[in-house]
C-alpha cells in the first residue's frame, strides 16, 4: 500500500497516483475543489490531508468516502459542513481554522473519535448537532464565538465518551481545556492537532492565563459540578 506526499507542490488538481494508495497528502497547495469521482479508483484510501488549500466547502469524495477514516480539512475557507453522509467510517475530522458559523451535517458520522472545530465562528451548540457522536473522545472548540457555557455543559452530559474539549478563546471564558476523569490519570494532554490519539485521553481541567475573562470562578464551579472528578491546573490552551 502506498503513501503520496504531495504537500507544498503548488498543485491545483490531484495528480494520478498508484491504485493501492492508502494515504494522500496534498496539503499546502492551491486546490479549490475535487471533481466528482476523481478518487474513485483508490479503493484502499483511508487518510486524506487537504489542509491549507483554497477549499470553500467539504468535497464530495465519491466512492472513496466509504473507507475514509482520517480527514484533515483545516486552514481552508470552508463555510459549512456538508457532503458528510457517506463518511460513515470517519474517526478523525479536522476542520480547524475555517469559516464555519453553524454546526450540522454530522449525524451520519457516528464513529468519530476526534473532532476539531477550533478557530471558526461558531456561536451556539445544540446538543442534537453533536450529541449523536457517542464515540467522540476529543472536541476542539477553541477560538470560536461561543457565548453560552450551558451549551458546553449540555454537550458533556450527552456525549458520555467525551474525555477532552478545548473551549478557550470564546467569549464566555478564558483559555480553558475541559476533560473528565474516567480514564487512567497518567495520560497527558493531547498536544498534536494532527494525531488521532487512539487510546489516549486527558484527566484534567486546565486553564491558561484567565486575566480579564468572565467570572472564571463561577465557570470553574459549574464545570466541576458537571464532571466532579476534574482537576484544575494552569496551562496554555491547546487545539
Amino acid at each position: 500500500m502506498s503513501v503520496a506526499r504531495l504537500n507544498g507542490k503548488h498543485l491545483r488538481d490531484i495528480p494520478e497516483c498508484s491504485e493501492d494508495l492508502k494515504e494522500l497528502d496534498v496539503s499546502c497547495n492551491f486546490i479549490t475543489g475535487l471533481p466528482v469521482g476523481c478518487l474513485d479508483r483508490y479503493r484502499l484510501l483511508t487518510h486524506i490531508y487537504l489542509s491549507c488549500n483554497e477549499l470553500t466547502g467539504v468535497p464530495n469524495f465519491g466512492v472513496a468516502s466509504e473507507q475514509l477514516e482520517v480527514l484533515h480539512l483545516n486552514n481552508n475557507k470552508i463555510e459549512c459542513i456538508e457532503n458528510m453522509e457517506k463518511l460513515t467510517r470517519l474517526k478523525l475530522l479536522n476542520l480547524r481554522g475555517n469559516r464555519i458559523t453553524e454546526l450540522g451535517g454530522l449525524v451520519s458520522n457516528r464513529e468519530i473519535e476526534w473532532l476539531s472545530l477550533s478557530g471558526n465562528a461558531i456561536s451556539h451548540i445544540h446538543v442534537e448537532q453533536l450529541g449523536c457522536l457517542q464515540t467522540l473522545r476529543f472536541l476542539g472548540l477553541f477560538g470560536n464565538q461561543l457565548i453560552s457555557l450551558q451549551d458546553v455543559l449540555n454537550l458533556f452530559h450527552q456525549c458520555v465518551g467525551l474525555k477532552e474539549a478545548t473551549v478557550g478563546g470564546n467569549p464566555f471564558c478564558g483559555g480553558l481545556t475541559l476533560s473528565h476523569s474516567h480514564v487512567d490519570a497518567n495520560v497527558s494532554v493531547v498536544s498534536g492537532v494532527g494525531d488521532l490519539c487512539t487510546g489516549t485521553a486527558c484527566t484534567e481541567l486546565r486553564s491558561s492565563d484567565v486575566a480579564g475573562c468572565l467570572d472564571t470562578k463561577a465557570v470553574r464551579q459549574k464545570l466541576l459540578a458537571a464532571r466532579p472528578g476534574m482537576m484544575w491546573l494552569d496551562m496554555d490552551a491547546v487545539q
Side-chain angles (χ1 to χ4, degrees):
M1 298 182 187
S2 67
V3 177
R5 303 291 185 198
L6 300 169
N7 51 305
K9 300 292 186 182
H10 305 286
L11 300 175
R12 297 186 182 276
D13 299 292
I14 296 177
E16 188 170 316
C17 301
S18 172
E19 286 191 7
D20 65 348
L21 186 66
K22 183 177 176 64
E23 294 188 20
L24 174 63
D25 184 355
V26 287
S27 55
C28 300
N29 283 293
F30 298 97
I31 297 170
T32 58
L34 301 183
V36 176
C38 73
L39 299 177
D40 286 357
R41 64 194 298 261
Y42 307 120
R43 301 287 179 151
L44 303 176
L45 188 60
T46 58
H47 293 54
I48 294 181
Y49 300 83
L50 274 162
S51 309
C52 303
N53 276 282
E54 300 292 328
L55 298 173
T56 57
V58 178
N60 183 339
F61 294 102
V63 174
S65 302
E66 298 173 5
Q67 67 266 6
L68 279 182
E69 296 179 3
V70 174
L71 179 57
H72 290 273
L73 298 171
N74 54 294
N75 298 100
N76 279 281
K77 300 175 181 177
I78 296 171
E79 297 181 355
C80 65
I81 304 173
E82 58 187 351
N83 293 323
M84 300 295 298
E85 295 82 5
K86 295 182 179 179
L87 294 165
T88 56
R89 298 178 120 185
L90 205 61
K91 297 184 182 300
L92 181 150
L93 177 60
N94 187 356
L95 287 166
R96 177 177 175 143
N98 279 286
R99 301 175 180 179
I100 299 167
T101 57
E102 295 184 6
L103 289 178
L106 295 172
V107 294
S108 301
N109 312 109
R110 296 175 181 267
E111 295 188 14
I112 288 182
E113 299 175 6
W114 195 102
L115 173 62
S116 180
L117 295 161
S118 296
N120 281 282
I122 300 166
S123 59
H124 293 87
I125 298 175
H126 301 290
V127 170
E128 60 270 18
Q129 295 170 325
L130 294 176
C132 60
L133 305 181
Q134 293 298 299
T135 59
L136 191 64
R137 297 172 64 84
F138 170 83
L139 175 63
L141 292 169
F142 183 88
N144 276 278
Q145 297 298 317
L146 294 173
I147 59 175
S148 172
L149 170 63
Q150 192 61 47
D151 284 355
V152 177
L153 297 179
N154 291 343
L155 192 60
F156 263 75
H157 285 299
Q158 185 71 22
C159 295
V160 295
L162 193 62
K163 298 294 187 293
E164 184 180 1
T166 57
V167 298
N170 283 285
F172 77 83
C173 70
L176 300 175
T177 301
L178 316 183
S179 61
H180 61 82
S181 58
H182 300 296
V183 292
D184 294 336
N186 60 350
V187 182
S188 63
V189 164
V190 176
S191 60
V193 173
D195 296 332
L196 179 57
C197 307
T198 302
T200 67
C202 170
T203 63
E204 297 160 345
L205 171 61
R206 299 172 181 251
S207 171
S208 67
D209 182 7
V210 292
C213 71
L214 300 181
D215 187 349
T216 54
K217 183 177 180 180
V219 170
R220 176 189 174 189
Q221 290 174 341
K222 291 182 180 180
L223 295 174
L224 293 177
R227 288 286 184 257
M230 284 184 179
M231 295 179 288
W232 175 272
L233 298 173
D234 288 328
M235 177 185 168
D236 290 336
V238 296
Q239 303 188 64

